[in-house]
């Protein structure tokens, strides 16, 4: 086959939208949990990587501390999304240990 001449590639003119400012709330929005009177954050803190990608309990505690500092009060203890790892036992243990420490030091309220 004969060689084709090289033709420079040009990008068609693309108009980019200017970035928009997203208004920030001072705290996370809370919604009613089902038919209860409990109010939970729309953002749910997840634990799916505990025991697999996050293999140290201290990492889990750091993540929980950060979630609480950000105002999250709704936590998902599922541990089975990426891989089966102790089938939830590790997540519940780590969260229980964290709760025990934080309730005793007063940083988390255990009341309903």
């Amino acid at each position: 086959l004969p060689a084709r001449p090289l033709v420079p590639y040009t990008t068609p003119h693309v108009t980019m939208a200017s970035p928009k400012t997203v208004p920030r709330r001072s705290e996370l929005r809370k919604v009613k949990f089902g038919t209860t009177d409990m109010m939970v954050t729309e953002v749910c803190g997840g634990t799916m990587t505990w025991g697999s990608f996050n293999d140290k309990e201290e990492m889990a505690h750091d993540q929980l501390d950060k979630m609480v500092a950000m105002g999250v009060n709704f936590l998902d203890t599922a541990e089975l999304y990426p891989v089966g790892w102790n089938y939830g036992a590790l997540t519940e243990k780590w969260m229980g240990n964290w709760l025990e420490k934080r309730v005793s030091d007063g940083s988390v309220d255990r009341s309903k």
Side-chain angles (χ1 to χ4, degrees):
L1 293 173
R4 291 194 217 166
L6 293 177
V7 178
Y9 177 76
T10 58
T11 305
H13 179 68
V14 177
T15 303
M16 301 290 287
S18 58
K20 295 183 180 181
T21 302
V22 177
R24 301 285 177 178
R25 292 189 170 104
S26 60
E27 62 182 44
L28 294 172
R29 184 171 168 225
K30 293 183 180 170
V31 295
K32 193 172 178 182
F33 186 70
T35 58
T36 71
D37 291 331
M38 190 173 12
M39 298 298 287
V40 297
T41 52
E42 282 186 316
V43 175
C44 178
T47 62
M48 71 179 210
T49 60
W50 294 5
S52 53
F53 298 107
N54 298 356
D55 61 347
K56 303 277 186 280
E57 185 171 1
E58 298 77 32
M59 293 171 76
H61 291 199
D62 290 345
Q63 291 169 8
L64 285 164
D65 288 339
K66 185 65 172 180
M67 285 185 244
V68 169
M70 295 174 73
V72 175
N73 72 349
F74 182 28
L75 302 171
D76 178 2
T77 60
E79 183 177 311
L80 301 177
Y81 297 121
V83 292
W85 187 276
N86 292 334
Y87 302 96
L90 190 60
T91 295
E92 291 178 6
K93 178 182 176 191
W94 288 359
M95 190 174 286
N97 292 342
W98 176 82
L99 278 169
E100 186 176 359
K101 287 179 185 177
R102 297 311 179 262
V103 168
S104 67
D105 72 13
S107 60
V108 171
D109 183 5
R110 67 174 175 208
S111 65
K112 293 182 182 180

